[in-house]
Amino acid sequence: MDSIIFDLDGTLWDPRETVLTSWNKAIEDYPKVDKKLTLDDLKQTMGKQMHEISQIFFPELSEEDQKSVMDYLTEIEIPYVAKNGGELYPDLEDTLKDLSQKYRLFIVSNCQEGYIEAFYEYHGLDKYFDDFENPGRTGLSKGENIKLVIDRNGLQDSIYVGDTQGDRDAARKAGVPFVYAKYGFGEVNDFEYEIERLPDLKKHF
């Protein structure tokens, strides 16, 4: 094995409080939406692309308005996340530091462009990762983005670590083993490895 590719939300951190605050701030200023989101709302959409989230949160809006409101939420969210960060899972940096001495590390998330950079900016963890990708930048599915990172970096033997069935499906599409982060947001029954906490990666690999 030469590399580990990580999902972000529900795998490396829990950003829900920060994201929820920023999104509700944005919704207050958006005249066509009259609702307040909750943590449970966010949990059910973790791992989905932005257009899928807009369909779940704002089904009453036209497709054009759904895109417009999500663009505005992103405009508010990215700088807010960069300024306020999120809740890192226990022992994250120590685990990344140890793993990076043996493997090349990457992030592939279903987020919008700028989100991973905001994670890096607040928490200063970019030094452990060689590359990242997301559909906000490429327009591709998560499985395609995993494959893109593999090809772009000349990787030969990767694993993907994530917490949802969508992550599992993406890993399968990319042809790499899946490590289920059981502590995250989703439930997955089909995986090659399972971890109860991040440092467990060092026991398996």
Side-chain angles (χ1 to χ4, degrees):
M1 194 174 86
D2 60 359
S3 51
I4 303 176
I5 307 172
F6 291 93
D7 171 51
L8 182 51
D9 294 350
T11 300
L12 299 181
W13 73 342
D14 181 349
R16 287 177 296 170
E17 289 283 0
T18 303
V19 171
L20 181 66
T21 300
S22 68
W23 282 17
N24 279 328
K25 284 178 180 291
I27 287 173
E28 288 176 3
D29 298 331
Y30 201 84
K32 293 186 178 181
V33 176
D34 182 22
K35 67 171 59 178
K36 188 170 185 178
L37 301 175
T38 67
L39 285 176
D40 284 341
D41 291 331
L42 286 193
K43 185 173 182 179
Q44 68 172 315
T45 63
M46 285 295 171
K48 298 185 182 297
Q49 293 197 24
M50 296 300 282
H51 71 277
E52 297 172 309
I53 295 173
S54 69
Q55 292 166 4
I56 294 171
F57 285 166
F58 312 115
E60 72 279 6
L61 300 181
S62 67
E63 185 175 337
E64 181 180 354
D65 285 339
Q66 285 177 352
K67 183 180 186 306
S68 176
V69 69
M70 294 310 291
D71 286 347
Y72 184 63
L73 263 58
T74 295
E75 181 183 334
I76 301 301
E77 174 192 6
I78 297 301
Y80 194 84
V81 171
K83 183 178 179 180
N84 294 277
E87 181 183 350
L88 300 181
Y89 285 122
D91 303 309
L92 172 60
E93 183 160 11
D94 286 344
T95 300
L96 294 175
K97 183 178 180 180
D98 289 345
L99 291 173
S100 66
Q101 294 174 5
K102 297 174 62 178
Y103 309 108
R104 299 177 67 191
L105 306 183
F106 303 86
I107 295 176
V108 173
S109 171
N110 259 351
C111 61
Q112 60 273 55
E113 187 172 8
Y115 185 79
I116 297 173
E117 295 94 321
F119 165 75
Y120 284 162
E121 181 175 340
Y122 185 84
H123 293 288
L125 297 174
D126 51 307
K127 59 190 172 185
Y128 298 112
F129 296 95
D130 285 5
D131 194 6
F132 66 89
E133 203 49 270
N134 59 74
R137 193 161 71 170
T138 67
L140 302 174
S141 71
K142 179 172 280 188
E144 291 169 325
N145 279 325
I146 294 172
K147 191 69 168 60
L148 177 62
V149 165
I150 289 172
D151 292 342
R152 187 163 69 201
N153 291 277
L155 307 180
Q156 301 297 318
D157 189 8
S158 303
I159 59 171
Y160 187 72
V161 184
D163 66 305
T164 68
Q165 186 61 44
D167 292 335
R168 174 65 185 98
D169 295 343
R172 176 171 290 168
K173 183 171 184 177
V176 298
F178 178 66
V179 180
Y180 171 41
K182 191 176 180 180
Y183 53 83
F185 300 140
E187 295 185 7
V188 183
N189 296 315
D190 179 20
F191 46 81
E192 281 69 44
Y193 303 94
E194 179 183 65
I195 56 173
E196 299 277 352
R197 49 197 295 272
L198 272 165
D200 290 349
L201 284 170
K202 294 185 287 186
K203 299 177 183 178
H204 288 297
F205 307 104

